[in-house]
Amino acid sequence: MSSTYGEKIKISVFGESHGNGIGVVIDGLPAGVKIDMDKVLVQMSRRAPGKDKTATPRKESDLPKVLSGMLGDTLTGAPLCAVIENTNTKSGDYGNLLNCPRPGHSDYTAYIKYNASNDIRGGGHFSGRLTAPIVFAGAICRQILEEKGIKIAAHIASIGNVSDDSFNPVAIDDELINKLNNSTFALIDESVEEKMRAEVESARLAQDSIGGTIECAVSGIEAGIGEPMFDGVEGVIAKAVFGVPAIKGIEFGKGFELSKMRGSQSNDPFEYKDGKVVTKTNNCGGILGGITNGMPVIFRAGVKPTPSISKEQDTVDLQKKENAKLVINGRHDPCIVPRAVPVIEAVTAVAIINLL
Ligand SMILES: Cc1cc2nc3c(=O)[nH]c(=O)nc-3n(C[C@H](O)[C@H](O)[C@H](O)COP(=O)(O)O)c2cc1C
């Protein structure tokens, strides 16, 4: 199982949703950097369940215990290991999934790949809960990035058919970044919140779930970072973003919309501004030839609807080898998008630090 990402700064995520605990080992961190653990906890709390009305009511303390790699508040340079205990699990809810895989979840593919030895409880290693240690790792990486003037922010770009404003692609405001970095329902235009919540509520009442998109921006990143071809900035970020469960798409800049434009519309014209080369627009999302051009790096990720829904679904019974009906018990978010926002920021931080 490859739950490891990165070369210069490598994160290895371990654990299962209803096992003893989950956690992460981060290799390659620079020694001597002071970490503000309160800021790390803010990020973890944004992702934790039960913090927002759209989230599962399951409440977990999600407090990371640092086992190694820090002396007081300073990184020692040794592998940083943080563990989060699993304290609030109701494995009984998963009994009927042992033989009947949930449509849309990893139950069937994990059953095949691991010969039914995988821990199915709570989705095991495939659970959204495993994003808690990812957020921990990202929160450490982004503090190191912030020292270099690089800031990362994401927001809920859409839920169902309701959309937020987009980032100004050529200049991301620090105040906006700060607001989004501290929000559990991160929006640029807060007036759409009620409509988005109504979309989620209507899905929940229909015993269903709903998806959406997340827009993420990296500001303060200089030109010339990234490699051509397979180690380009798009590839490095996409690999990290696809590590997040339920992400099914990613587009940089104007993405697929570019395919419908003329070159004269899609090209970002250059100009000198305060002695610096910038572009007037940012349709390419700050990346040309896999290399940053000094403009904000901007991408959107598509989040699918939560696979576990309470509506009855068709599945199969793998023991009896016959068709079956499935009713899923347990506590599941009708919409993953708000909680996935800090996760997308976190994986982006881990990707960017590896590119530097
Ligand atoms: C923050 C977060 C929370 C999630 N919570 C749930 C959940 O409560 N129920 C569920 O079925 N899936 C949840 N998921 C999604 C599943 O983990 C994911 O769909 C599953 O592992 C299959 O992977 P795939 O969708 O990437 O193919 C969550 C994902 C994230 C990022």
Side-chain angles (χ1 to χ4, degrees):
M1 211 182 246
S2 168
S3 300
T4 298
Y5 173 90
E7 283 174 14
K8 292 179 194 151
I9 292 187
K10 188 164 154 182
I11 67 164
S12 299
V13 181
F14 60 85
E16 280 129 337
S17 183
H18 290 195
N20 290 332
I22 56 177
V24 63
V25 178
I26 317 169
D27 269 302
L29 289 170
V33 177
K34 276 197 189 317
I35 296 297
D36 182 339
M37 207 41 87
D38 287 342
K39 279 191 176 171
V40 173
L41 295 181
V42 167
Q43 293 315 314
M44 297 197 64
S45 146
R46 290 174 71 206
R47 190 224 64 94
K51 300 280 171 191
D52 189 83
K53 283 177 263 178
T54 57
T56 161
R58 192 178 67 232
K59 282 200 168 60
E60 290 154 356
S61 55
D62 270 355
L63 279 182
K65 188 173 174 186
V66 174
L67 299 187
S68 66
M70 282 184 83
L71 204 54
D73 59 359
T74 307
L75 297 177
T76 62
L80 172 57
C81 177
V83 175
I84 302 160
E85 236 184 295
N86 291 332
T87 51
N88 187 0
T89 50
K90 278 177 81 182
S91 299
D93 288 337
Y94 292 86
N96 63 339
L97 305 180
L98 278 175
N99 301 322
C100 299
R102 282 171 291 178
H105 215 293
S106 54
D107 305 343
Y108 175 67
T109 48
Y111 176 94
I112 296 294
K113 185 164 178 67
Y114 303 108
N115 293 319
S117 295
N118 59 300
D119 183 354
I120 188 86
R121 300 167 306 158
H125 190 65
F126 297 88
S127 166
R129 178 155 171 72
L130 271 288
T131 57
I134 294 178
V135 171
F136 175 88
I140 299 284
C141 292
R142 62 202 281 177
Q143 288 191 30
I144 299 167
L145 291 173
E146 275 168 20
E147 281 192 356
K148 300 175 193 297
I150 299 173
K151 294 183 179 169
I152 297 167
H155 68 107
I156 305 168
S158 65
I159 289 182
N161 289 316
V162 185
S163 298
D164 188 12
D165 279 348
S166 298
F167 282 117
N168 172 358
V170 292
I172 317 283
D173 186 46
D174 274 356
E175 218 171 287
L176 174 62
I177 293 178
N178 199 32
K179 176 184 97 161
L180 297 175
N181 284 176
N182 287 287
S183 173
T184 50
F185 201 91
L187 288 171
I188 295 177
D189 174 8
E190 282 157 24
S191 74
V192 298
E193 176 170 345
E194 221 169 290
K195 277 193 200 145
M196 280 189 180
R197 288 192 186 279
E199 288 272 288
V200 177
E201 186 57 7
S202 109
R204 189 185 69 80
L205 291 174
Q207 299 185 295
D208 218 327
S209 61
I210 194 161
T213 57
I214 293 170
E215 188 185 37
C216 183
V218 184
S219 81
I221 189 159
E222 62 186 31
I225 290 163
E227 306 289 331
M229 289 207 179
F230 305 114
D231 286 324
V233 176
E234 288 115 325
V236 173
I237 291 178
K239 184 175 177 184
V241 168
F242 280 126
V244 179
I247 301 296
K248 281 304 207 189
I250 189 165
E251 57 177 2
F252 290 84
K254 285 268 188 276
F256 282 89
E257 228 182 279
L258 292 172
S259 62
K260 295 184 212 134
M261 292 183 186
R262 296 254 169 123
S264 57
Q265 297 170 301
S266 91
N267 292 344
D268 300 305
F270 290 108
E271 66 173 342
Y272 271 108
K273 206 173 187 181
D274 304 324
K276 197 181 155 209
V277 175
V278 295
T279 57
K280 292 184 183 183
T281 53
N282 188 9
N283 297 330
C284 71
I287 307 162
L288 291 169
I291 300 168
T292 55
N293 67 356
M295 298 303 286
V297 167
I298 300 186
F299 67 87
R300 267 177 309 283
V303 188
K304 75 184 197 185
T306 319
S308 302
I309 53 175
S310 40
K311 206 178 232 175
E312 186 181 81
Q313 296 176 87
D314 288 336
T315 185
V316 289
D317 187 315
L318 295 163
Q319 286 302 314
K320 295 183 188 158
K321 298 197 188 320
E322 61 184 32
N323 295 336
K325 296 282 179 196
L326 178 69
V327 175
I328 299 170
N329 303 311
R331 301 150 293 179
H332 299 277
D333 291 348
C335 182
I336 294 164
V337 181
R339 288 180 56 212
V341 168
V343 185
I344 294 297
E345 290 175 1
V347 289
T348 305
V350 178
I352 297 292
I353 209 165
N354 269 286
L355 281 160
L356 297 183

Coordinates of all heavy atoms in Angstrom, one line a residue, residues 197-243:
R197 N -25.9 25.6 1.8 CA -26.3 24.8 2.9 C -27.7 24.2 2.5 O -28.0 23.0 2.9 CB -26.4 25.6 4.2 CG -25.1 25.9 4.8 CD -25.2 26.4 6.2 NE -24.0 26.9 6.7 CZ -23.0 26.1 7.3 NH1 -23.2 24.8 7.3 NH2 -21.9 26.6 7.8
A198 N -28.5 24.9 1.8 CA -29.8 24.4 1.4 C -29.6 23.2 0.4 O -30.4 22.2 0.5 CB -30.7 25.5 0.7
E199 N -28.6 23.3 -0.5 CA -28.4 22.2 -1.4 C -28.0 20.9 -0.6 O -28.5 19.8 -0.9 CB -27.1 22.5 -2.3 CG -27.4 23.5 -3.4 CD -27.9 22.9 -4.6 OE1 -27.2 22.2 -5.4 OE2 -29.1 23.1 -4.9
V200 N -27.1 21.1 0.4 CA -26.7 20.0 1.3 C -27.9 19.4 2.0 O -28.1 18.2 2.1 CB -25.6 20.4 2.2 CG1 -25.1 19.2 3.1 CG2 -24.4 21.0 1.5
E201 N -28.7 20.3 2.6 CA -29.8 19.8 3.4 C -30.8 19.1 2.5 O -31.4 18.1 3.0 CB -30.4 21.1 4.1 CG -31.5 20.8 5.1 CD -31.1 19.8 6.2 OE1 -29.9 19.5 6.4 OE2 -32.0 19.4 7.0
S202 N -31.0 19.6 1.3 CA -32.0 18.9 0.5 C -31.5 17.5 0.1 O -32.3 16.5 0.0 CB -32.4 19.8 -0.7 OG -31.9 19.3 -1.9
A203 N -30.2 17.4 -0.1 CA -29.6 16.0 -0.4 C -29.8 15.1 0.8 O -30.2 14.0 0.7 CB -28.1 16.2 -0.8
R204 N -29.5 15.7 2.0 CA -29.6 14.9 3.3 C -31.0 14.4 3.5 O -31.2 13.2 3.8 CB -29.1 15.7 4.5 CG -29.0 14.9 5.7 CD -28.6 15.8 6.9 NE -29.7 16.7 7.3 CZ -30.7 16.3 8.1 NH1 -30.8 15.0 8.5 NH2 -31.7 17.1 8.4
L205 N -32.0 15.3 3.3 CA -33.4 14.9 3.5 C -33.8 13.8 2.5 O -34.7 13.0 2.8 CB -34.3 16.2 3.4 CG -34.1 17.2 4.5 CD1 -35.0 18.4 4.3 CD2 -34.5 16.5 5.9
A206 N -33.2 13.8 1.3 CA -33.5 12.8 0.3 C -32.7 11.5 0.6 O -32.6 10.7 -0.3 CB -33.3 13.4 -1.1
Q207 N -32.1 11.4 1.8 CA -31.2 10.3 2.1 C -30.1 10.1 1.1 O -29.7 9.0 0.7 CB -32.0 9.0 2.2 CG -33.1 9.0 3.3 CD -33.8 7.7 3.4 OE1 -34.4 7.2 2.4 NE2 -33.6 7.0 4.5
D208 N -29.6 11.3 0.6 CA -28.6 11.3 -0.4 C -27.4 12.1 -0.1 O -27.3 12.6 1.1 CB -29.3 11.8 -1.7 CG -28.9 11.1 -3.0 OD1 -27.7 10.7 -3.0 OD2 -29.7 11.0 -3.9
S209 N -26.5 12.4 -1.0 CA -25.3 13.2 -0.7 C -25.1 14.1 -2.0 O -25.7 13.9 -3.0 CB -24.1 12.3 -0.4 OG -23.8 11.5 -1.5
I210 N -24.2 15.0 -1.8 CA -23.9 15.9 -2.9 C -22.4 16.3 -3.0 O -21.8 16.3 -1.9 CB -24.8 17.2 -2.8 CG1 -24.9 18.0 -4.0 CG2 -24.4 18.1 -1.6 CD1 -26.0 19.0 -4.1
G211 N -21.9 16.6 -4.2 CA -20.5 16.9 -4.4 C -20.3 18.4 -4.7 O -21.2 19.2 -4.5
G212 N -19.1 18.8 -5.1 CA -18.8 20.2 -5.4 C -17.4 20.3 -5.9 O -16.7 19.3 -6.2
T213 N -17.0 21.6 -5.9 CA -15.6 21.8 -6.3 C -14.9 22.7 -5.3 O -15.6 23.5 -4.6 CB -15.5 22.5 -7.7 OG1 -16.3 23.7 -7.7 CG2 -16.1 21.6 -8.8
I214 N -13.6 22.6 -5.3 CA -12.8 23.4 -4.4 C -11.7 24.2 -5.2 O -11.1 23.6 -6.1 CB -12.0 22.5 -3.4 CG1 -13.1 21.9 -2.4 CG2 -11.0 23.3 -2.5 CD1 -12.5 20.8 -1.5
E215 N -11.6 25.5 -5.0 CA -10.6 26.2 -5.8 C -9.5 26.5 -4.8 O -9.7 26.9 -3.6 CB -11.2 27.5 -6.3 CG -10.2 28.3 -7.2 CD -10.7 29.6 -7.7 OE1 -11.3 30.3 -6.9 OE2 -10.4 30.0 -8.9
C216 N -8.2 26.4 -5.2 CA -7.1 26.6 -4.3 C -6.1 27.5 -5.0 O -5.9 27.4 -6.3 CB -6.4 25.2 -4.0 SG -5.0 25.3 -2.9
A217 N -5.5 28.4 -4.3 CA -4.5 29.3 -4.8 C -3.2 29.3 -4.0 O -3.3 29.2 -2.7 CB -5.1 30.7 -4.9
V218 N -2.1 29.4 -4.7 CA -0.8 29.5 -4.0 C -0.2 30.9 -4.4 O 0.0 31.2 -5.5 CB 0.2 28.4 -4.5 CG1 1.5 28.5 -3.7 CG2 -0.4 27.0 -4.3
S219 N -0.1 31.8 -3.4 CA 0.5 33.1 -3.7 C 1.9 33.2 -3.2 O 2.3 32.5 -2.3 CB -0.4 34.2 -3.2 OG -0.1 34.4 -1.8
G220 N 2.6 34.1 -3.8 CA 4.0 34.4 -3.4 C 5.0 33.4 -3.9 O 6.2 33.4 -3.4
I221 N 4.6 32.6 -4.8 CA 5.6 31.6 -5.4 C 6.3 32.2 -6.6 O 5.7 32.8 -7.5 CB 4.8 30.3 -5.7 CG1 5.8 29.2 -6.1 CG2 3.8 30.5 -6.8 CD1 5.3 27.8 -5.9
E222 N 7.6 32.1 -6.5 CA 8.4 32.8 -7.6 C 8.5 32.1 -8.9 O 8.1 30.9 -8.9 CB 9.9 33.1 -7.1 CG 10.6 31.8 -6.8 CD 12.0 32.1 -6.1 OE1 12.1 33.1 -5.4 OE2 12.9 31.3 -6.4
A223 N 8.9 32.7 -9.9 CA 9.0 32.1 -11.3 C 10.2 31.1 -11.3 O 11.1 31.3 -10.6 CB 9.2 33.2 -12.3
G224 N 10.0 30.0 -12.1 CA 11.1 29.1 -12.3 C 11.1 27.9 -11.5 O 12.1 27.1 -11.5
I225 N 10.0 27.6 -10.7 CA 10.0 26.4 -9.9 C 9.2 25.3 -10.7 O 8.2 25.5 -11.3 CB 9.3 26.7 -8.6 CG1 10.2 27.6 -7.7 CG2 8.9 25.5 -7.8 CD1 9.5 28.3 -6.6
G226 N 9.8 24.1 -10.6 CA 9.2 22.9 -11.3 C 10.1 22.5 -12.4 O 11.0 23.2 -12.8
E227 N 9.8 21.3 -12.9 CA 10.6 20.7 -14.0 C 9.7 20.5 -15.2 O 8.5 20.3 -15.1 CB 11.1 19.3 -13.5 CG 11.8 19.4 -12.2 CD 13.2 20.1 -12.3 OE1 13.8 20.0 -13.4 OE2 13.6 20.6 -11.3
P228 N 10.3 20.4 -16.4 CA 9.4 20.0 -17.5 C 9.0 18.6 -17.5 O 9.4 17.8 -16.7 CB 10.4 20.3 -18.7 CG 11.7 20.1 -18.2 CD 11.7 20.5 -16.8
M229 N 8.1 18.3 -18.4 CA 7.5 16.9 -18.5 C 6.9 16.3 -17.3 O 6.0 16.9 -16.7 CB 8.5 16.0 -19.2 CG 8.8 16.3 -20.6 SD 9.3 14.9 -21.5 CE 9.5 15.7 -23.1
F230 N 7.5 15.2 -16.8 CA 6.7 14.4 -15.8 C 6.8 15.0 -14.3 O 6.1 14.5 -13.5 CB 7.2 13.0 -15.8 CG 7.0 12.4 -17.2 CD1 8.1 12.1 -18.0 CD2 5.7 12.3 -17.8 CE1 8.0 11.6 -19.3 CE2 5.6 11.9 -19.1 CZ 6.7 11.5 -19.8
D231 N 7.8 15.9 -14.1 CA 7.8 16.5 -12.7 C 7.4 17.9 -12.7 O 7.8 18.7 -11.9 CB 9.3 16.3 -12.2 CG 9.5 14.9 -11.8 OD1 8.6 14.2 -11.3 OD2 10.7 14.4 -11.9
G232 N 6.5 18.3 -13.7 CA 6.0 19.6 -13.7 C 5.1 19.9 -12.5 O 4.6 19.0 -11.8
V233 N 4.9 21.2 -12.3 CA 4.1 21.6 -11.1 C 2.7 21.0 -11.2 O 2.2 20.6 -10.1 CB 4.0 23.2 -11.1 CG1 3.2 23.6 -9.9 CG2 5.4 23.8 -10.9
E234 N 2.1 21.0 -12.4 CA 0.7 20.4 -12.4 C 0.7 18.9 -11.9 O -0.1 18.5 -11.2 CB 0.2 20.4 -13.9 CG -0.2 21.8 -14.4 CD 0.6 22.2 -15.5 OE1 1.8 21.9 -15.5 OE2 0.1 22.9 -16.4
G235 N 1.7 18.2 -12.4 CA 1.8 16.7 -12.1 C 2.0 16.5 -10.6 O 1.4 15.6 -10.0
V236 N 2.9 17.3 -10.0 CA 3.3 17.1 -8.6 C 2.1 17.5 -7.7 O 1.8 16.8 -6.8 CB 4.6 18.0 -8.3 CG1 4.8 18.0 -6.8 CG2 5.8 17.5 -9.1
I237 N 1.4 18.6 -8.1 CA 0.2 18.9 -7.3 C -0.9 17.9 -7.5 O -1.5 17.5 -6.5 CB -0.3 20.4 -7.6 CG1 0.7 21.4 -7.2 CG2 -1.6 20.6 -7.0 CD1 0.4 22.9 -7.5
A238 N -1.1 17.5 -8.8 CA -2.2 16.6 -9.1 C -2.0 15.3 -8.3 O -3.0 14.7 -7.8 CB -2.3 16.3 -10.6
K239 N -0.8 14.8 -8.2 CA -0.5 13.5 -7.5 C -0.9 13.6 -6.1 O -1.6 12.7 -5.5 CB 0.9 13.1 -7.7 CG 1.2 11.8 -7.1 CD 2.6 11.3 -7.3 CE 2.8 10.0 -6.6 NZ 4.2 9.5 -6.6
A240 N -0.6 14.8 -5.5 CA -0.9 15.0 -4.1 C -2.4 15.1 -3.9 O -3.1 14.5 -3.0 CB -0.2 16.2 -3.5
V241 N -3.1 15.9 -4.8 CA -4.5 16.1 -4.7 C -5.3 14.9 -4.9 O -6.3 14.6 -4.2 CB -4.9 17.3 -5.6 CG1 -6.5 17.4 -5.7 CG2 -4.4 18.6 -5.2
F242 N -4.9 14.0 -5.8 CA -5.6 12.7 -6.0 C -5.4 11.8 -4.9 O -6.1 10.7 -4.8 CB -5.2 12.1 -7.4 CG -5.9 12.7 -8.5 CD1 -5.2 13.2 -9.6 CD2 -7.3 12.9 -8.5 CE1 -5.9 13.8 -10.7 CE2 -8.0 13.4 -9.6 CZ -7.3 13.9 -10.7
G243 N -4.5 12.1 -4.0 CA -4.3 11.2 -2.8 C -5.5 11.5 -1.8 O -5.7 10.7 -0.9

